[in-house]
Amino acid sequence: MGEQGGIEAIVARLRAAGCVFAEDEAALLMEAARSDRELEELVERRAAGEPLEPLLGFAEFGGLRIHVDAGVFVPRRRTEALAAQAVGLTRPGDVVLDLCCGAGAIAAVVAERVPGAAVYAADVDPAAVRTARSNVLAERVFQGDLFAALPEWLRGAIAVVAVNAPYVPTAAIPLMPPEARLYEPAVALDGGEDGLDLHRRIAGEAGSWLVPGGSVVIETSREQSERTAALFSASGFTTDIVEDDELDATVVVATRAP
């Protein structure tokens, strides 16, 4: 069977498994495989429902290929809107934190687009931290619970905190696509009863870590955005809700008083 026949067979298998972008996925799997045997294994695993990006070893995000390991939250395209907001607020020399960083995709994009920015990242999940250290400077990635992960010398020094904390209500987790709920860690998905447990904590803790006039940019849903913004307003921030219809993304920008 020639290459064309091979890719057609793979596309057919992926389509039968419900993969919407079967042609694109087949081409990427063929590129990633180092042998026919490995290709067969990758196609079988993808057809069985495993997420594509860990099989490839990367996710396309913000024009970069972000390394992604199995069992780590895969950066979503909608989060490019959050990264863009962070980039727009960052100046050379600024300190930026990618909080709840997962694979460190936001940190990688900010570091790429704003030369001279000092970009840090933190996550509670050890697997995420290991993965992020392959995408940004390893010594600038910390493990721990939100801001408790950070060295004390960063307190009051951060210009921009970019956050994609989990915001899915616990009761909605079983309704998520199998690729997420079966293969990504619950700590990266579950936002508590109303989805805003981490947002509450971040709104309450962020102020002391920011420079005067510094900002938190945090991803949320359109339905939750007013409540997310209200949490930051109650902590003394001025807030703005930014929606990106093309990416189906909603971001709250919360700014500390100068």
Side-chain angles (χ1 to χ4, degrees):
M1 182 181 293
E3 181 177 343
Q4 185 61 33
I7 194 168
E8 288 176 354
I10 294 170
V11 168
R13 289 176 65 183
L14 296 178
R15 280 180 178 162
C19 299
V20 177
F21 302 105
E23 292 88 350
D24 293 338
E25 293 193 11
L28 287 167
L29 290 169
M30 291 183 75
E31 176 188 338
R34 292 165 292 186
S35 67
D36 290 345
R37 181 175 180 178
E38 185 176 14
L39 176 60
E40 175 65 25
E41 180 185 350
L42 291 175
V43 172
E44 182 176 344
R45 291 170 64 185
R46 178 61 182 138
E50 290 191 38
L52 175 67
E53 291 83 359
L55 295 178
L56 300 175
F58 68 86
E60 298 278 0
F61 184 87
L64 303 177
R65 283 192 169 184
I66 303 298
H67 174 73
V68 178
D69 287 322
V72 173
F73 183 81
V74 176
R76 278 36 168 188
R77 183 165 181 262
R78 65 174 172 269
T79 305
E80 291 179 359
L82 173 60
Q85 288 293 320
V87 167
L89 290 167
T90 303
R91 300 293 177 265
D94 282 349
V95 175
V96 179
L97 173 65
D98 181 357
L99 187 63
C100 304
C101 67
I106 298 168
V109 168
V110 174
E112 174 73 16
R113 297 188 188 174
V114 190
V119 183
Y120 296 84
D123 201 289
V124 72
D125 180 14
V129 169
R130 286 194 299 270
T131 302
R133 285 175 175 162
S134 68
N135 291 312
V136 295
L137 290 175
E139 63 270 22
R140 291 183 175 180
V141 183
F142 305 106
Q143 182 184 335
D145 184 21
L146 296 182
F147 294 99
L150 304 181
E152 187 63 25
W153 52 264
L154 278 175
R155 188 181 295 274
I158 303 172
V160 179
V161 177
V163 190
N164 185 17
Y167 54 89
V168 179
T170 302
I173 297 293
L175 306 178
M176 295 186 71
E179 290 181 3
R181 59 184 168 80
L182 297 180
Y183 295 99
E184 293 181 323
V187 70
L189 303 174
D190 192 341
E193 184 175 357
D194 66 352
L196 299 177
D197 281 2
L198 272 295
H199 289 206
R200 288 188 185 86
R201 292 183 56 200
I202 293 163
E205 297 175 20
S208 68
W209 292 90
L210 290 168
V211 299
S215 296
V216 176
V217 289
I218 185 166
E219 182 172 300
T220 187
S221 69
R222 185 166 297 182
E223 295 75 20
Q224 294 165 306
S225 59
E226 294 286 352
R227 286 176 288 160
T228 296
L231 293 171
F232 283 90
S233 295
S235 292
F237 291 80
T238 58
T239 61
D240 186 28
I241 297 172
V242 180
E243 294 183 353
D244 187 317
D245 293 333
E246 181 180 350
L247 294 175
D248 190 26
T250 304
V251 175
V252 170
V253 181
T255 305
R256 182 187 172 193

